[in-house]
Amino acid sequence: MTYSTGQVKNPIIFLGLDPGTTRIGYGFVKKEGGKLSLIDCGAIEIKKPSAGERLIFLERKLGQIIKACRPGVAGIEKLYFGKNKKTALGVAESRGVMLLTLGKLKIPILEFDPTDIKRTVAGDGHCDKKTLAKMVCITLGEKSLPGPDDAHDALAIAIRASFER
């Protein structure tokens, strides 16, 4: 007979989303017993000519991806305004669709600014993408990560979200 002094917690899947205008990064990590592991990551490529078509495509594709992995919590990067206001507006539109899609699917949302994500995952709020990806690999026990930088950033967001639960 074995006895346990602590409770075994059910695994939870975290989704990280890295907003963009033509490419949206996504990443899923599983947290089980305090250990994080990679489930999936990638990017949604959007090549639709009009804003309306772009946003409808994003909602449909994101919904399919979410339903396939069934996350318990989603983390999304907060919008920060850079020099290019036109790009920021496009990112804000995409981000709105992401929040709407998550809301419709009743997935709790955590929002983080880029500096907080980098500081939490890499120990430096101003690190470059290469350093952040390296720390994501170490955290998830992976030698390398599939997909583009946007997917790696999304995994960092999912990792950051996992520290809240």
Side-chain angles (χ1 to χ4, degrees), residues 75-146:
I76 187 168
E77 186 175 82
K78 287 183 182 178
L79 181 63
Y80 63 96
F81 285 92
K83 294 178 183 175
N84 190 337
K85 291 180 183 172
K86 185 177 180 182
T87 299
L89 290 173
V91 174
E93 290 171 347
S94 294
R95 197 172 175 282
V97 169
M98 291 180 224
L99 294 170
L100 176 66
T101 304
L102 292 166
K104 282 180 170 180
L105 295 172
K106 298 183 182 353
I107 297 171
I109 302 165
L110 302 170
E111 299 180 68
F112 307 102
D113 64 63
T115 305
D116 177 53
I117 296 162
K118 291 175 181 180
R119 183 177 47 249
T120 303
V121 176
D124 177 0
H126 301 288
C127 69
D128 60 18
K129 287 186 174 286
K130 186 177 178 180
T131 302
L132 185 62
K134 180 180 178 181
M135 293 308 297
V136 168
C137 281
I138 291 168
T139 302
L140 298 176
E142 299 286 331
K143 290 183 181 182
S144 64
L145 298 172

Side-chain angles (χ1 to χ4, degrees), residues 37-53:
S37 57
L38 172 66
I39 295 177
D40 188 23
C41 68
I44 300 170
E45 300 283 344
I46 304 171
K47 297 178 181 175
K48 299 294 181 181
S50 73
E53 290 174 310

